[in-house]
Amino acid sequence: MKLLLDTHTFMWWDSAPDQIPEATLDHLKQTENEVLVSLVSLWEMQIKTQLGKLTLRAGLADIIRQQQINDW
């Protein structure tokens, strides 16, 4: 199954998974599912970070890289 995450879900998945419903987290953890994030979401996070309206726990590129290799 392909799962398209919105901006908030992607950020929560990285830093606050308790904000995501358990059923959704279960789908995210299943390795046979493909997790996708829109380039627009990444663009939105980068702009908000540059404007000082969003603080991420790490650089956006680092977060994306870590999520790509995450072994739930």
Side-chain angles (χ1 to χ4, degrees):
M1 176 181 349
K2 291 184 180 183
L3 306 170
L4 177 61
L5 303 185
D6 69 0
T7 305
H8 282 94
T9 306
F10 177 75
M11 290 187 309
W12 289 335
W13 189 30
D14 174 65
S15 59
D18 57 314
Q19 297 289 328
I20 301 173
E22 192 63 36
T24 303
L25 263 181
D26 289 342
H27 286 297
L28 291 171
K29 292 176 183 179
Q30 294 174 7
T31 58
E32 65 271 10
N33 290 336
E34 184 177 3
V35 179
L36 306 168
V37 178
S38 168
L39 288 175
V40 175
S41 290
L42 302 177
W43 177 65
E44 175 188 6
M45 288 185 285
Q46 185 63 34
I47 289 172
K48 288 186 177 190
T49 300
Q50 290 174 334
L51 293 174
K53 295 183 177 189
L54 175 65
T55 302
L56 300 172
R57 65 159 186 83
L60 187 54
D62 293 331
I63 293 171
I64 294 166
R65 201 171 302 110
Q66 181 180 9
Q67 290 297 353
Q68 288 175 328
I69 61 172
N70 203 345
D71 274 346
W72 291 94

